[in-house]
Amino acid sequence: IDTILFNALSSDKTINSTAMNLLEKMAKENFSSFLHQLGSILSSESKDTKIRQLSAILMKNSLIHIDALQQEWKEKLTLEQKNEVKMLVLSSLASSFKEIRSVASSVIASICKVDQPIMQHWPDLIPSLTQNAFNQNMNLRLAAIETLGYVCEEVTLKGIDTASVDSILSALIRNITDKTIDISVVSQCLKAMFHTIKLAEKNFSTENEMKVIMEGIFSIVTQYQTNDDILDKIAMLFIEMFSVSSYYDYLSVYIDKILEFSFHMINTKYATNERLGLLGLEILCTIGDEEFSREPNDKIKI
């Protein structure tokens, strides 16, 4: 299969087409074996990174985009066969190559999208990832956090239990409020949080839990107020919060701080980073639209 994968990457259209047809045939004839072979290549540090990346793409596309193969995964593969594939992909998060860790994360998320709810189909996944979100190996730590974000992006509220969301948010907040942590971890946590927020209504509706989340975010606003990348991700996070209509009332006590953040983006960042200024303006417009749509007695005093 290594040779077939290399041929699938060929710039020669004939060689490429023949290889892709062979891979399609292998998937249809024995999907379990096909996934296991691809997973073995993905998890092998001795293999060429390009065919490892292609293996991950083929796994993801087979599960997400080909209905017949998705149904075969759901209905025909045994629990043991699924677990073998899952362990191969999960082990790839420890790769020394960033691109491999990233594609492995996307495959894990794809499996979660097909097999929901997660706690029923992959009960040890979230505990494993949240534990590794504090791993001393920085590569594995970043990979675990990235995977949590991808998983939250793919699943629905019915696909993940509130306890899992709690543990994910806790891991992300604990990381970003650690003053000694590398900025790359903060950046990755904010990306993951962007996808987790839509699943966190229980957390936002509980005053103490929302306080922990918001104070954690504002602590890094202060710490990284000169870092454009971090400010960009925080702005996107606020916009995502407001996209969930029920969150606006929960956030009422933080509206002034969010407005202050927006004016900082507009007044101090627009001249050097137009995107940040526009994001600040978008937050202001979102708050304005929400306030205009409310009855006078329902408006938040700003």
Side-chain angles (χ1 to χ4, degrees):
I1 193 170
D2 294 54
T3 303
I4 299 172
L5 290 169
F6 272 118
N7 287 343
L9 294 169
S10 173
S11 58
D12 186 305
K13 291 183 178 179
T14 302
I15 295 173
N16 172 277
S17 178
T18 301
M20 291 305 295
N21 287 336
L22 279 171
L23 290 166
E24 183 179 351
K25 182 181 178 184
M26 291 172 67
K28 288 179 178 179
E29 288 180 349
N30 192 329
F31 191 42
S32 173
S33 175
F34 178 71
L35 289 176
H36 196 281
Q37 289 184 76
L38 294 178
S40 296
I41 290 171
L42 173 62
S43 63
S44 175
E45 289 286 86
S46 64
K47 301 289 185 181
D48 183 89
T49 55
K50 289 182 178 179
I51 67 166
R52 294 175 73 187
Q53 287 176 284
L54 179 57
S55 295
I57 292 168
L58 290 169
M59 295 177 82
K60 179 179 179 178
N61 288 347
S62 297
L63 287 164
I64 298 296
H65 300 300
I66 303 176
D67 291 342
L69 296 179
Q70 185 180 116
Q71 286 303 114
E72 188 164 346
W73 170 271
K74 288 181 176 180
E75 299 173 2
K76 294 185 179 180
L77 267 70
T78 66
L79 181 61
E80 182 180 2
Q81 289 171 326
K82 287 183 178 182
N83 285 341
E84 287 177 357
V85 172
K86 289 174 181 177
M87 290 310 299
L88 287 169
V89 180
L90 196 60
S91 69
S92 303
L93 295 181
S95 173
S96 57
F97 299 98
K98 181 179 179 180
E99 59 268 35
I100 300 303
R101 299 193 299 271
S102 187
V103 290
S105 294
S106 70
V107 177
I108 291 169
S110 299
I111 294 172
C112 290
K113 183 175 183 178
V114 174
D115 272 350
Q116 298 186 53
I118 297 173
M119 283 303 292
Q120 177 183 330
H121 295 281
W122 203 343
D124 57 344
L125 176 65
I126 301 300
S128 172
L129 292 174
T130 52
Q131 180 179 349
N132 278 309
F134 301 98
N135 201 291
Q136 293 301 308
N137 180 319
M138 195 56 67
N139 287 339
L140 183 52
R141 178 181 240 178
L142 287 167
I145 294 168
E146 181 177 20
T147 307
L148 287 169
Y150 282 155
V151 169
C152 288
E153 181 180 12
E154 295 292 358
V155 300
T156 63
L157 281 168
K158 293 181 179 179
I160 188 166
D161 60 294
T162 56
S164 291
V165 175
D166 288 348
S167 64
I168 292 170
L169 283 171
S170 175
L172 299 178
I173 293 296
R174 284 173 58 196
N175 267 291
I176 66 174
T177 54
D178 181 349
K179 302 297 184 183
T180 65
I181 206 65
D182 188 84
I183 192 172
S184 62
V185 177
V186 176
S187 179
Q188 194 67 66
C189 283
L190 289 171
K191 287 174 66 176
M193 198 177 294
F194 176 84
H195 297 298
T196 311
I197 286 298
K198 67 180 175 26
L199 306 169
E201 178 150 11
K202 189 274 288 186
N203 308 89
F204 273 81
S205 62
T206 306
E207 184 177 351
N208 289 339
E209 293 181 22
M210 183 186 67
K211 182 178 180 180
V212 170
I213 295 169
M214 297 306 294
E215 290 189 354
I217 293 169
F218 283 115
S219 73
I220 56 173
V221 170
T222 302
Q223 187 177 356
Y224 295 101
Q225 58 184 309
T226 60
N227 186 292
D228 286 6
D229 177 64
I230 297 297
L231 293 178
D232 190 306
K233 288 181 172 62
I234 293 170
M236 292 300 296
L237 189 54
F238 286 145
I239 291 168
E240 183 69 6
M241 287 178 189
F242 288 134
S243 74
V244 183
S245 58
S246 61
Y247 286 13
Y248 192 79
D249 285 327
Y250 304 145
L251 292 167
S252 61
V253 296
Y254 295 100
I255 292 296
D256 285 349
K257 280 192 171 184
I258 295 172
L259 285 171
E260 184 181 337
F261 170 81
S262 302
F263 285 122
H264 171 72
M265 298 271 277
I266 296 168
N267 294 331
T268 67
K269 291 295 180 179
Y270 184 78
T272 56
N273 188 328
E274 183 179 350
R275 173 180 165 83
L276 290 184
L278 292 174
L279 286 173
L281 187 60
E282 183 174 349
I283 294 170
L284 288 182
C285 291
T286 302
I287 293 173
D289 287 345
E290 183 66 33
E291 288 297 306
F292 276 120
S293 69
R294 288 167 172 256
E295 295 294 329
N297 292 335
D298 293 330
K299 293 183 184 296
I300 293 170
K301 292 182 180 181
I302 299 173

